[in-house]
Amino acid sequence: VEFFDSHAHVALGAFGGTQVRRARLQRSVAAGVTAVLAPAVGPADGAQLPDVTRACHAETGVALYYALGLHPWALAELDEASCDRWLAQVEDRVAADVDPRLRAVGECGLDFGVARDATQRGRQLTATRRQLELARRTGRPAVLHCVRAHAALIALLDERATPACVLHSFSGSAEIAREYQRRGHYVSFSGSVCRPRIPRLASAVRAVAIERLLVETDSPDQTPWSAHPAVNEPGFLPLVAARVAELRAEPLEAIAAATRHNARVVFGIEDSQ
Ligand SMILES: [Zn+2]
């Protein structure tokens, strides 16, 4: 059984330096997690992703792809000029389309739990709108983070026709999951599904059609319950997939195959890659 981790931050410092990163990805291969999409948080990790993904693929055999963008938490720590400079670089690199590992725009999105006033929310809306425009212009998916802001994000997605995007680490209700999939977007579940009592999230896991379903670790964050207190890594993805399979009453092999296929479709990865 092979798995595709649709979201792991392999170039973040908390994921580990060169040696630790390599060991984590070797364990991923051993666990059957043979492909990973690594989204950028901001300029610091984003600048390293082209080299890190190339080197780690060569050293470990994990097929590593990446996305470039600006996460709402990173946005809060940068001044306007730095945000603007980074987003201009992201636009140039995605539009240039010269690196076959660069598959998506992101991570971007809205976090109204973090942005509490109108100014901070306005900055998130502006940066997300700009990254969605890049996704539209290039036909790439956007990898979206959304906490307590689904109505605002859906309004942004609805401003113009948008390519199929990925709602990462989905934590909303079944109704909200249906709103995204009705628009052709994919819904990705992380280790939060491994917690014992999750009635609302469990209905969301069941509400997503098999052809819109993805699984992820969100490494190095969100270690699945049973792997605590380890730092999260892609090798823990089978725990997430097993819980999704249990909640949907479907075989693990079917979840692994469908989510792997869906990741390749949404990120536009050809069979030869
Ligand atoms: Zn993330």
Side-chain angles (χ1 to χ4, degrees):
V1 185
E2 286 186 50
F3 300 88
F4 194 125
D5 186 347
S6 77
H7 198 108
H9 297 283
V10 302
L12 278 186
F15 193 83
T18 309
Q19 307 293 329
V20 172
R21 184 191 295 126
R22 186 184 303 141
R24 289 193 192 286
L25 292 169
Q26 281 163 347
R27 288 198 291 271
S28 296
V29 178
V33 182
T34 51
V36 172
L37 187 288
V41 169
D45 66 318
Q48 294 184 58
L49 278 168
D51 287 342
V52 164
T53 50
R54 184 173 2 92
C56 289
H57 189 170
E59 289 162 4
T60 66
V62 178
L64 282 149
Y65 307 94
Y66 65 96
L68 291 180
L70 183 59
H71 190 291
W73 300 354
L75 168 79
E77 286 163 15
L78 295 174
D79 60 36
E80 280 311 314
S82 308
C83 286
D84 190 57
R85 210 176 314 125
W86 173 240
L87 286 175
Q89 276 188 51
V90 169
E91 287 165 344
D92 286 349
R93 286 154 72 173
V94 175
D97 195 23
V98 288
D99 186 350
R101 296 183 191 281
L102 176 50
R103 307 307 316 180
V105 176
E107 174 171 359
C108 59
L110 306 175
D111 196 325
F112 287 177
V114 171
R116 293 174 185 278
D117 60 46
T119 310
Q120 292 178 61
R121 290 182 180 185
R123 287 188 71 205
Q124 289 188 2
L125 288 163
T126 303
T128 302
R129 183 180 283 119
R130 182 167 169 181
Q131 291 172 86
L132 286 175
E133 279 303 318
L134 176 62
R136 290 165 181 139
R137 204 162 70 236
T138 56
R140 296 287 181 187
V143 176
L144 297 166
H145 170 109
C146 190
V147 174
R148 293 188 206 167
H150 289 293
L153 183 60
I154 288 171
L156 280 182
L157 290 166
D158 283 352
E159 284 180 352
R160 295 210 294 118
T162 309
C165 292
V166 176
L167 267 297
H168 119 82
S169 192
F170 188 77
S171 60
S173 66
E175 290 88 306
I176 295 169
R178 284 191 202 98
E179 286 298 314
Y180 287 112
Q181 73 175 335
R182 209 156 55 75
R183 292 163 169 81
H185 303 304
Y186 290 72
V187 181
S188 182
F189 292 97
S190 69
S192 56
V193 299
C194 298
R195 296 196 311 266
R197 277 171 297 279
I198 47 156
R200 193 174 93 121
L201 191 51
S203 352
V205 169
R206 293 185 197 105
V208 176
I210 190 84
E211 63 272 13
R212 287 286 176 270
L213 185 70
L214 296 170
V215 286
E216 64 173 79
T217 58
D218 198 19
S219 313
D221 287 336
Q222 305 212 56
T223 305
W225 188 264
S226 58
H228 272 267
V231 170
N232 201 10
E233 59 185 45
F236 295 151
L237 186 64
L239 297 171
V240 178
R243 179 72 161 138
V244 167
E246 179 199 335
L247 292 170
R248 294 171 64 95
E250 289 173 49
L252 174 62
E253 293 71 20
I255 297 298
T259 54
R260 187 165 169 266
H261 173 77
N262 296 343
R264 297 177 70 87
V265 170
V266 71
F267 296 126
I269 298 165
E270 311 283 334
D271 284 339
S272 58
Q273 287 179 283

